[in-house]
Every structure is written in C-alpha cells, then in structure tokens.
C-alpha cells in the first residue's frame, strides 16, 4: 500500500484550496472509473460470449457488469470511509484488490488465450490504472481529511486564543472601569462630604436665625394673646348682656304670642258657637218650612233670580250635629272686585274649615256636594259656573288654606308655643 502523506505537505494551503483539490480528485477518480468500466464491458463481453454454451451468448454482458458494480462499491465506500477519517479493515482491501485482479484478468484473458502480448499490455492499462487510482485516491482522501481536521483544530485553537484574548481584554477593560468608577466614587464622596459640611454650617446658621425669630414671634404672640384675651372677656360680657336682653325680649314675645293665641282661640270658639247657633236656626227654619210644605196644597211660586235670593238647603244624615246653611246665589258680594270677593269668601271658607269637627273636610256636610262650601256652590256664590267652582275656586282655596296653616305654625314656633 502507498504510505500516507505527511500532514506538513498541506501546511501552506487553505481549507478552500484543499477542498478544491478534493473535488478535482473526486471528478478524476470517477472519470477514470467510468472509462475503465466501459472499456472492460466492451473487452470482456466477446470473451464471455466465446466461452458461453450455444444459446446463452446473451448473458455475456452480465459478468463485466457485476464486476464493474463491485468496483463502484469499492470506490464509493472507500471515499466515504476515508472522508470520515476511519478504515474499513481487511475485507474492504480484499474486495478492492479482488475486483482489480478480476477486472485485469478478464480484460487480458482474450489476448492471453491468443498469446498476444501487445494486446495483453494494451488491455491491462485500464484495469491497472483503475487499481492504482483507487489506492492513490484512498491515500489522497486520508491525507486531505487529516489536513482538514488539522486546519479545523488550528482554527478552533485560533478561535479559542481569540476568545481568551477577548476575555483578557474585557477583564482589563472591566478592571479599568472599576478603577475609574472607584476614583469617581471617591471624588463624589469627598464632594458630598464637603457639601454636607457646608450644609451643616448653613443649617446651624439658619437654625440660630430661626430660633431668634421664633423667640421674637413668641414675645409678640404673648402680647397679642393678652390683648385678645382682654378683648374676648369684654366681648363675652357684652354678649352675655345681649343674650340676657334677647331672652327677656323672647320671653315677652312668647307671652304676647300666647296672649294672641288665646285671643284667637277665644274668637274661634265664639265663631264656632255662632256657627252652631246658626246651624240650629237653620234646622228650625227647615223644619218649619217642611211643615208649611205639607200643609200647602198648591205649588210654591219662585220669584226671579234678579230680585229674590235663592235658597238651597242640604240635609245630611251624618252624625256631626251640623246643618248646612242656605247658600245665597246672587248679590252676596255686590260692589266688590273679583279678587275682593274671592278673599271675602275664602275667609268664610277658612273659618268653617277651622271649626269643622271632621278629620276629612270633604266629609263635612258644608263641603259635601250641595253644601255651602262645595266646589259648585263656591263658583255660584262668586257668580261663576259650577265647573269653574270645582276646577278652579275650590283648588285655589285649598292651596290658600295650606299656606294659612303654615303661616300659623310659623307664628307659633316664633312665639315658642307648641
């Protein structure tokens, strides 16, 4: 076998140049292999056909093709194994040499049978070239793989050195930055200490000034407090005198309000008694009129409304002891304006409602339909229609009555009467 090439022969070549040489070796090897196989098929086929039994001459190309396939396997696998940096052992070498010898024997066999030495030499060229090329190519590939591995190791070592140098530079830069940072921190700390000392001195001076100002302000505050205390005492005495005067005035006002309330209650009692007497008179008048109607055998002629007042009577069965008065329909408020007539009628409405013994005013016979103060009769008494009395006059009087109760409650509260 050809001895392996020394790694030093590729020391001056780059990885790209070595790979280019490997490509050239691969292309040349396959060209030689293809040529040798083609030449072998053309040379061996006549020899095999001559020794084949009659009728089996067509099998002659099979043998050279089988041998050529073995050659292809050897060349291809040797290339792969050498590229991986390993060896196949004795069997791959035996197959390589056996295929080479078989190819050589088949190529020179026909010339040897005819003792044609020149033909043997010519036909031996291609097999021998294929055998030597396979061995040389194997050695070349191993040497190239070794060189590529060495270049890879050298590149890795160079990269590792570069990384180490980079790390060393980074360590130096970090150390330099640490030194600069320490120096900057030291300078900053010294500056802070100096500034703090100046600030303390300034604070001491400011504190002394503020202490003097506070003492002066305290003295002024004590003087102002003494003056305010004297003024407050005088004001308190004045307020106490005013409060006593107000209390005396409020007492007098309450007594006056109570007296006014008693007088008003007396008036209301008198008015209620007057209304009750009037109701009794009305009941007696109604009883007398009923007796007269029973005795009369002829209908009653009613005079015209312009000259005679109409009388409307309403009877109730509610046990209130109250009788509805006759309602004067016309000329009740003659000579008054519309507002004056409403005010005069509201006073009668208010007094009747104050004197009512019913919790619900609408249940009182005076306010029930047909009563003296129902909505329809309020409208008639003011010379208006029934609808106007129900929809306008009655709601207006109710609102005025609510305002009247509120005003009276306010007077009581002001007078201090519950």
């Amino acid at each position: 076998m050809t001895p392996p090439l020394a790694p030093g022969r590729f020391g001056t070549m780059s990885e790209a140049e070595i790979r280019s040489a490997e490509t050239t070796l691969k292309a040349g090897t396959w060209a030689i292999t293809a040529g040798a196989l083609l030449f072998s098929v053309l040379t061996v086929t006549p020899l095999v056909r001559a020794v084949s039994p009659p009728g089996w001459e067509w099998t002659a190309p099979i043998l050279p093709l089988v041998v050529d396939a073995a050659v292809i396997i050897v060349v291809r696998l040797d290339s792969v194994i050498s590229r991986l940096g390993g060896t196949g052992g004795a069997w791959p070498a035996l197959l390589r040499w056996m295929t080479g010898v078989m190819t050589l024997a088949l190529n020179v066999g026909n010339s040897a049978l005819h003792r044609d030495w020149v033909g043997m030499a010519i036909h031996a060229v291609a097999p021998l070239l294929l055998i030597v090329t396979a061995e040389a190519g194997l050695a070349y590939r191993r040497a190239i793989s070794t060189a590529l591995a060495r270049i890879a190791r050298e590149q890795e070592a160079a990269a590792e050195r570069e990384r180490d140098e980079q790390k060393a530079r980074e360590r130096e830069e970090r150390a330099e930055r640490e030194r600069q940072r320490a120096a900057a921190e030291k300078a900053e700390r010294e500056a802070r200490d100096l500034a703090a000392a100046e600030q303390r001195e300034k604070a001491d001076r400011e504190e002394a000034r503020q202490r003097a100002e506070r003492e002066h302000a305290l003295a002024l505050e004590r003087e102002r407090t003494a003056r305010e205390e004297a003024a407050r005492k005088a004001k308190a005495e004045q307020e106490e005198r005013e409060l006593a005067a107000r209390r005396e005035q409020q007492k007098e006002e309450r007594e006056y309000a109570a007296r006014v309330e008693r007088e008003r209650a007396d008036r209301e009692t008198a008015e209620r008694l007057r209304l009750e007497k009037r109701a009794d008179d009305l009941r007696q008048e109604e009883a007398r009129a009923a007796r007269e109607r029973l005795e009369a055998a002829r209908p009653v002629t009613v005079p015209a409304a312009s000259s005679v007042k109409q009388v409307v009577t309403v009877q109730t069965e509610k046990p209130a002891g109250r009788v509805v008065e006759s309602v004067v329909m016309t000329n009740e408020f003659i000579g008054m304006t519309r507002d004056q007539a409403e005010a005069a009628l509201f006073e009668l409405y208010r007094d009747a409602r104050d004197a009512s013994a019913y919790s619900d005013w609408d249940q009182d016979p005076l306010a029930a339909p047909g009563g003296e103060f129902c909505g329809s009769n309020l409208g008639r008494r003011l010379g208006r229609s029934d609808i106007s009395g129900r929809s306008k006059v009655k709601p207006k009087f109710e609102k005025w009555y609510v305002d009247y109760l509120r005003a009276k409650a306010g007077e009581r509260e002001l007078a201090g009467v519950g």
Side-chain angles (χ1 to χ4, degrees):
M1 295 178 62
T2 305
L5 299 176
R9 299 181 183 180
F10 302 94
T12 59
M13 297 180 67
S14 64
E15 182 178 359
E17 292 173 342
I18 294 174
R19 292 191 180 279
S20 177
E22 183 181 15
T23 302
T24 302
L25 174 62
K26 184 185 297 183
T29 301
W30 282 110
I32 293 172
T33 302
L37 295 179
L38 179 61
F39 186 78
S40 175
V41 170
L42 297 177
T43 302
V44 175
T45 299
L47 175 61
V48 177
R49 183 182 296 114
V51 298
S52 296
W56 293 92
E57 292 83 357
W58 60 272
T59 61
I62 295 176
L63 181 60
L65 290 176
V66 171
V67 176
D68 294 343
V71 173
I72 292 173
I73 291 173
V74 169
V75 173
R76 178 59 180 164
L77 292 181
D78 283 345
S79 174
V80 173
I81 292 174
S82 63
R83 187 70 180 86
L84 296 175
T87 57
W91 287 106
L94 176 61
L95 178 61
R96 186 168 58 250
W97 279 97
M98 187 174 68
T99 55
V101 172
M102 287 181 180
T103 302
L104 178 62
L106 290 173
N107 277 273
V108 302
N110 193 21
S111 299
L113 291 175
H114 295 86
R115 297 183 182 276
D116 184 2
W117 306 110
V118 176
M120 290 177 61
I122 292 173
H123 287 88
V125 172
L128 291 176
L129 183 60
L130 181 60
I131 294 171
V132 175
T133 299
E135 290 294 333
L138 182 60
Y140 287 147
R141 288 189 183 92
R142 289 174 178 171
I144 289 172
S145 297
T146 302
L148 290 175
R150 179 180 55 79
I151 291 174
R153 288 193 301 271
E154 290 176 355
Q155 290 177 350
E156 181 66 24
E160 184 67 25
R161 287 195 300 273
E162 180 66 22
R163 287 194 295 271
D164 293 342
E165 292 175 359
Q166 180 67 24
K167 291 180 180 179
R169 286 194 299 270
E170 290 177 356
R171 285 194 297 272
E172 292 178 358
E173 291 175 358
R174 282 197 300 271
E176 181 64 23
R177 286 196 298 270
E178 288 293 332
R179 287 193 296 272
Q180 293 177 357
R181 184 171 61 82
E185 289 179 354
K186 182 179 179 181
E188 184 180 358
R189 187 168 54 254
E190 293 175 353
R192 283 199 305 270
D193 294 341
L194 179 60
E198 293 177 354
Q199 187 66 23
R200 285 193 298 273
E201 293 177 359
K202 183 179 178 181
D204 293 339
R205 290 193 300 271
E206 182 67 19
E207 184 179 0
R209 184 184 64 79
Q210 291 178 357
R211 186 167 52 252
E213 291 179 355
R214 284 196 300 271
E215 291 176 354
H216 179 68
L218 287 174
L220 294 176
E221 182 66 19
R222 283 193 294 271
E223 294 177 1
R224 185 184 64 81
T225 302
R227 290 194 301 271
E228 289 181 353
E229 183 65 23
R232 187 163 51 249
K233 289 180 179 179
K235 184 178 180 181
E237 293 175 355
Q238 179 65 24
E239 290 178 351
E240 187 175 355
R241 288 193 297 271
E242 292 177 355
L243 180 59
R246 280 199 302 272
R247 288 176 178 173
E248 184 65 24
Q249 183 180 358
Q250 290 175 358
K251 180 180 179 181
E252 294 176 357
E253 290 176 353
R254 285 195 299 271
E255 292 176 352
Y256 174 76
R259 186 170 61 255
V260 170
E261 182 64 20
R262 285 193 301 272
E263 293 176 356
R264 188 193 65 79
D266 294 340
R267 287 196 302 273
E268 289 178 353
T269 302
E271 180 66 18
R272 186 167 60 253
L273 294 174
R274 184 185 67 79
L275 291 175
E276 289 176 357
K277 182 178 181 302
R278 184 179 179 184
D280 293 338
D281 295 341
L282 285 175
R283 283 196 298 271
Q284 294 174 5
E285 182 68 24
E286 287 176 358
R288 185 171 57 256
R291 286 193 301 271
E292 291 175 356
R293 282 195 300 270
L294 291 175
E295 295 175 356
R298 58 183 179 82
V300 179
T301 302
V302 180
S306 59
S307 60
V308 181
K309 297 182 180 180
Q310 294 180 358
V311 178
V312 178
T313 60
V314 177
Q315 295 189 9
T316 177
E317 296 179 356
K318 297 184 178 180
R322 193 170 202 181
V323 179
V324 179
E325 282 188 343
S326 300
V327 179
V328 179
M329 293 300 185
T330 59
N331 299 326
E332 184 177 1
F333 303 105
I334 189 170
M336 295 184 183
T337 64
R338 178 174 178 173
D339 293 340
Q340 290 173 347
E342 286 184 351
L345 183 57
F346 172 70
E347 289 182 0
L348 299 176
Y349 181 88
R350 181 193 62 196
D351 294 340
R353 184 157 185 185
D354 286 343
S356 176
Y358 287 79
S359 60
D360 185 358
W361 167 242
D362 291 334
Q363 299 297 324
D364 194 304
L366 294 177
E372 181 180 355
F373 296 106
C374 70
S376 299
N377 286 332
L378 288 175
R380 293 194 191 103
R381 295 173 72 174
L382 292 174
R384 305 179 192 176
S385 64
D386 295 358
I387 297 176
S388 176
R390 290 193 300 270
S391 62
K392 295 182 179 178
V393 179
K394 181 70 175 290
K396 182 187 291 187
F397 282 8
E398 285 296 315
K399 180 178 181 301
W400 286 357
Y401 187 75
V402 172
D403 295 340
Y404 158 73
L405 292 178
R406 289 176 180 171
K408 187 166 70 170
E411 291 176 358
R412 289 182 178 182
E413 183 178 356
L414 181 63
V417 178

